[in-house]
Amino acid sequence: QIRRAFRNIRRTIPEIASVLILFLLVIFLFSMMFYKLFKDKGMTKVEGTPYFQNFFDSYWDLYVLVTTANSPDIMMPAYDQYAFYSIFFIVFEVVCVYIFMSIFLAVVYNNYRKN
């Protein structure tokens, strides 16, 4: 049964690659927007490090935000400066967490069931 499971996983990977690439592209676009918006504001994270200091840091922070592991921590410095900055984070979470994760999960489930 383990061989069959690995074979099914191997068959589903090429079919879900397009959704995964689209998801990573959306995170890429949001991280470019957040980097340009927040890099020169002089804000620091909760632990004291600079806020969105480079593109890769912003990409990583937003990728982790999709898992909601750092959900309020990443938004609070921007929210403390201007409350309307939270709109960007809310839009990001709605698009990535609720829309793309649902689509990704549905594609994975349908392809796994098909194979």
Side-chain angles (χ1 to χ4, degrees):
Q1 279 198 346
I2 294 175
R3 286 183 185 174
R4 186 172 38 155
F6 280 122
R7 185 175 56 239
N8 288 342
I9 291 170
R10 192 178 64 235
R11 287 179 187 165
T12 60
I13 288 175
E15 297 172 1
I16 65 171
S18 61
V19 176
L20 182 64
I21 289 170
L22 184 63
F23 173 67
L24 294 175
L25 181 65
V26 167
I27 294 177
F28 177 81
L29 294 175
F30 270 102
S31 63
M32 280 187 0
M33 182 179 71
F34 279 44
Y35 172 66
K36 292 293 184 184
L37 185 63
F38 296 122
K39 71 175 179 176
D40 295 329
K41 302 292 185 202
M43 295 183 277
T44 59
K45 296 179 192 175
V46 175
E47 62 269 1
T49 59
Y51 196 61
F52 291 114
Q53 64 185 351
N54 58 26
F55 175 75
F56 298 109
D57 183 47
S58 61
Y59 190 89
W60 177 253
D61 285 341
L62 292 180
Y63 177 75
V64 174
L65 183 61
V66 170
T67 66
T68 65
N70 61 352
S71 187
D73 293 343
I74 198 70
M75 183 177 71
M76 291 315 291
Y79 180 77
D80 288 341
Q81 189 172 14
Y82 295 110
F84 71 90
Y85 281 156
S86 64
I87 293 171
F88 296 108
F89 290 95
I90 292 170
V91 167
F92 173 76
E93 287 189 29
V94 165
V95 168
C96 288
V97 174
Y98 296 113
I99 295 174
F100 268 108
M101 283 304 185
S102 298
I103 291 171
F104 186 71
L105 182 62
V107 168
V108 168
Y109 176 72
N110 285 336
N111 286 319
Y112 188 78
R113 226 176 85 206
K114 185 172 60 174
N115 291 323

